[in-house]
Amino acid sequence: MTETLILPADEAGIAEAAALIARGLPVAVPTETVYGLAGDATSGTAVAAIYAAKGRPSFNPLIAHVTDLEMAARIAILSPLAHQLAGHFWPGPLTMVLPAAERSPIASLATAGLTTIAVRMPAHPVMRALIAAVGGPLAAPSANASGTISATRAGHVARSLGGRIALVLDGGATAVGIESTIVAVEPDRLRLLRPGSITAAMLEEATGIAVDTQDNGAIEAPGQMTSHYAPSKPVRLDAETARQDEFHIGFGSIPGDASLSLTGDLNEAAARLFDLLHRADEASAGAIAVAPIPATGLGAAIHDRLKRAAAPR
Ligand code: TXA
Ligand code: MG
């Protein structure tokens, strides 16, 4: 049992976090999407400590976070198409799966032995400052116990990983609220592996290349397992009304016990999704019901998360 400290994400907090990471200990840190559990991506033991804290099956590879294109090019091969995407969406909530660089310093445990690597250049100033302070790429999965609801507040991290990590940097609620879009960048093709706030339509518009969104049943992003983001209670979707024992998460004209967005705004709904799932999970009701949400645009990413949260486990 480790005592979990929550510190403000200011200069002193970031320095403390960098010192822990240098000792191989993972630290929870805000990004613009969700909180990440960050460790030195070039150290096998640091990466192992991330997996251990999350209880994550180690076949599931991690995203390497970088501050700039030069750092990205040290670990991955960026094609002209990758550069085009970087120009449009980095820094920001887009993760690209790219061929790993030949002499990549990334620990093989972080890529689970794959020949590709997932790379993201985050926009959040705290995550960027931490990467800069450590001086190299940080591996960071979402800061929650494996298979459970992602964290969009420091308190969510403490609830999920308290006693298992040394430090959470508190940077307030995250802006986007759902994890980054993951796209596999192939020579002349893009495949959407995980929907996010950067939609397939946005990727197509930026590149002029059609995005393959077909799931085809294979678990391409190994973390995209059927049951994921799971609260401790059953979840029922498309619920216009709630049953007696359900905490009702509302949307638009259905207010529920708490609403993702009273005005039916999908951006607001994405930002509040995991927070309300945490609240519903902590409420006294025995189950969770979620109001219908449109599947268009950002709604596709929200549906993806809800479908997994509701999946039988
Ligand atoms: O927004 C985010 O992406 C957050 C923040 C912290 O950056 N991170 C995050 O990491 O969501 P994680 O580990 O929860 O999800 C990473 C996903 C997993 O589904 C993993 O299987 C997939 O990325 N992945 C990693 N490397 C891959 C690769 N080489 N090929 C395909 N999928 C990969
Ligand atoms: Mg995750």
Side-chain angles (χ1 to χ4, degrees):
M1 199 67 181
T2 314
E3 171 132 30
T4 302
L5 204 63
I6 302 183
L7 289 178
D10 56 14
E11 221 170 295
I14 291 166
E16 175 67 24
L20 287 167
I21 287 174
R23 288 171 44 206
L25 299 175
V27 170
V29 51
T31 82
E32 70 273 35
T33 56
V34 298
Y35 276 71
L37 187 61
D40 178 354
T42 67
S43 157
T45 52
V47 172
I50 296 174
Y51 287 127
K54 274 185 71 84
R56 164 177 278 203
S58 53
F59 55 77
N60 194 355
L62 306 180
I63 298 170
H65 297 71
V66 300
T67 44
D68 52 75
L69 283 173
E70 202 209 296
M71 199 184 281
R74 270 191 265 145
I75 63 177
I77 300 168
L78 279 80
S79 65
L81 181 53
H83 275 285
Q84 201 180 358
L85 285 168
H88 273 92
F89 300 110
W90 277 3
L94 179 70
T95 295
M96 290 194 243
V97 171
L98 302 167
E102 205 156 306
R103 266 185 293 277
S104 164
I106 299 296
S108 60
L109 189 59
T111 54
L114 298 174
T115 55
T116 54
I117 181 165
V119 186
R120 174 158 112 79
M121 188 193 292
H124 197 289
V126 172
M127 182 58 156
R128 295 183 65 81
L130 189 58
I131 301 168
V134 171
L138 292 179
S142 50
N144 52 277
S146 185
T148 67
I149 314 169
S150 300
T152 58
R153 294 173 183 277
H156 299 160
V157 181
R159 180 171 174 245
S160 189
L161 297 175
R164 296 166 73 163
I165 60 175
L167 176 63
V168 184
L169 286 184
D170 187 351
T174 63
V176 177
I178 53 175
E179 300 85 349
S180 60
T181 303
I182 304 182
V183 65
V185 182
E186 294 175 359
D188 45 17
R189 201 160 82 105
L190 296 174
R191 284 185 304 130
L192 190 70
L193 302 185
R194 179 172 72 185
S197 64
I198 293 172
T199 61
M202 289 161 74
L203 295 171
E204 283 175 6
E205 188 174 297
T207 60
I209 288 179
V211 176
D212 186 353
T213 57
Q214 247 20 60
D215 187 333
N216 74 28
I219 299 173
E220 278 286 355
Q224 292 295 77
M225 295 173 221
T226 309
S227 170
H228 205 92
Y229 312 109
S232 62
K233 303 168 181 175
V235 178
R236 190 168 66 87
L237 304 181
D238 285 321
E240 308 226 343
T241 56
R243 298 172 189 151
Q244 203 174 7
D245 191 34
E246 287 176 333
F247 184 97
H248 197 189
I249 296 180
F251 179 80
S253 60
I254 299 172
D257 294 303
S259 177
L260 287 167
S261 169
L262 287 167
T263 58
D265 176 346
L266 288 171
N267 284 302
E268 185 182 24
R272 302 200 61 194
L273 178 67
F274 289 127
D275 191 31
L276 286 196
L277 283 172
H278 277 280
R279 271 173 60 187
D281 210 22
E282 282 169 289
S284 57
I288 301 169
V290 186
I293 292 161
T296 50
L298 186 47
I302 297 174
H303 270 243
D304 171 73
R305 306 308 190 272
L306 282 173
K307 202 175 65 198
R308 292 174 213 284
R313 15 197 138 111

